[in-house]
Amino acid sequence: MSSDPQQTPATFRFEPHAAPVAANERAQRLVDPGFGRVFTDHMAMIRYSDAEGWHNARITARAPLTLDPASSVLHYAQEIFEGMKAYRLADGGTALFRPEANARRFNRSAQRMAMPDLPEALFLESVERLVATDRDWIPESDGGALYLRPFMFASEVFLGVKPSSEYLFMVIASSVGAYFKGGSPAVSIWVSQHFTRAAPGGTGEAKCGGNYAASLLAQSEAIRQGCDQVVFLDAAERRWVEELGGMNVFFVFDDGSMATPPLNGTILPGITRDSILTLARAEGLMVREEPYAIDQWRSDAQSGRLVEAFACGTAAVVTPIGQVVSPEGRFTIGDGGPGARTQAIRTQLVAIQRGQAPDPHGWVKRLD
Ligand SMILES: *Cc1c(COP(=O)(O)O)cnc(C)c1O
């Protein structure tokens, strides 16, 4: 046994599913898959131990895991994940969008959570092999995609509090339809008062399950307040707008400029966020990464200086924000519906992702 943790397994084993879903049954499941409920036949899996490094890489039949009840992830939540999509191109090929950015972010999350680095090549190979194996699960429908969920968790059987000495890295794939049918309706958001998502020095910029666990009560409160989503303010001053539970936020002003909160350690560095910034700057538009206060948001919406706001992330791409609700009352952005600029950004990004528009930044990685 080698003890070099940086070693990469020489081969991925391929263990095809003995009884994959039949083509007609699969077609039925893909008619209206929704989000995150329809899963493909296979999954990728790589084990890690301090002694052996990354080993036992395989694509295998998707199946439940057997976990010892003392597996440390179940107690101390040492877990990180990614979210990305494989698209079907107009010519029938498949493509990923900026997968290297997901691989890099995965390792930044791993470092924050005291987990081992996964060589980027292994991350990418896992994702690409799974997509190649299960490519028939990409829906043909408009807006359909294969949502990929790479994740890693602590699998050592030990109740002591320390970084685990063993991990499991996996990728599962879910056929998804358009997040919103018939374009994106504007959503309403609740400004969380008591609960914050991330504090300076905390795990806000890591994509870890624990951040989501901590956001669920605030999200439930938003629903109780009649809103669709929650927006979090900074933990120190409860003043600066940070992001939604799982999406970054942008503001569009009447002079044509845009702004988004800066990456200051408490905000998740979204790849959609970065793509929108890059596209806007390439067009010579004025985009600021600067703190924006909730009171300013309200007064700018009321004065008309702020004309649009939207949230962004891989799952829903770009989602217009129509109403913002807090105990101080409710304010409407623009006419409360999807703004023209928001829709144009969404259309531009989706066209690049699906190979329907030029890709000047080399973001689309064609697989076949
Ligand atoms: C994943 C995520 C985002 C969006 O990131 P993308 O790379 O654009 O999908 C934003 N905020 C949080 C908290 C996230 O977990």
Side-chain angles (χ1 to χ4, degrees), residues 81-84 101-102 105 147 149 197 204-208 211-212 215 232 243-249 266-275 312-317:
F81 67 96
E82 270 302 323
M84 54 206 291
N102 294 97
R105 185 171 67 188
Y147 182 82
R149 170 51 60 85
R197 181 187 162 275
E205 65 183 348
K207 209 166 172 74
C208 62
N211 287 342
Y212 278 77
S215 75
F232 289 100
E243 63 172 312
L244 276 59
M247 284 187 275
N248 297 115
V249 63
T266 57
I267 291 173
L268 198 290
I271 294 163
T272 317
R273 174 190 181 279
D274 182 74
S275 303
C312 65
T314 296
V317 193

Side-chain angles (χ1 to χ4, degrees), residues 38-202:
V38 173
F39 295 99
T40 67
D41 290 316
H42 296 87
M43 60 188 187
M45 209 166 166
I46 316 179
R47 289 197 174 273
Y48 176 91
S49 68
D50 282 352
E52 291 177 84
W54 291 104
H55 62 284
N56 200 2
R58 58 209 161 109
I59 301 290
T60 190
R62 187 177 183 280
L65 299 172
T66 303
L67 282 184
D68 189 283
S71 299
S72 59
V73 66
L74 301 177
H75 305 273
Y76 309 125
Q78 206 188 2
E79 189 266 357
I80 58 170
F81 67 96
E82 270 302 323
M84 54 206 291
K85 281 178 177 169
Y87 302 92
R88 196 181 290 286
L89 302 173
D91 63 5
T94 51
L96 296 166
F97 184 70
R98 306 187 69 182
E100 305 82 6
N102 294 97
R104 275 197 301 276
R105 185 171 67 188
F106 193 69
N107 277 334
R108 288 202 302 276
S109 298
Q111 277 157 24
R112 178 62 184 83
M113 303 302 284
M115 299 167 95
D117 259 32
L118 176 69
E120 282 175 29
L122 265 187
F123 179 101
L124 295 171
E125 190 174 350
S126 306
V127 168
E128 288 169 19
R129 282 181 185 267
L130 182 62
V131 173
T133 305
D134 284 342
R135 68 192 302 284
D136 292 345
W137 287 86
I138 306 178
E140 305 273 358
S141 58
D142 228 25
L146 198 59
Y147 182 82
L148 299 157
R149 170 51 60 85
F151 60 106
M152 170 170 33
F153 63 88
S155 55
E156 185 180 356
V157 179
F158 183 51
L159 290 183
V161 179
K162 65 158 186 80
S164 175
S165 65
E166 293 171 22
Y167 298 87
L168 201 51
F169 168 74
M170 306 185 68
V171 188
I172 55 174
S174 173
S175 309
V176 300
Y179 205 83
F180 297 107
K181 294 198 189 79
S184 300
V187 297
S188 57
I189 59 176
W190 165 252
V191 185
S192 182
Q193 303 295 304
H194 293 292
F195 307 117
T196 57
R197 181 187 162 275

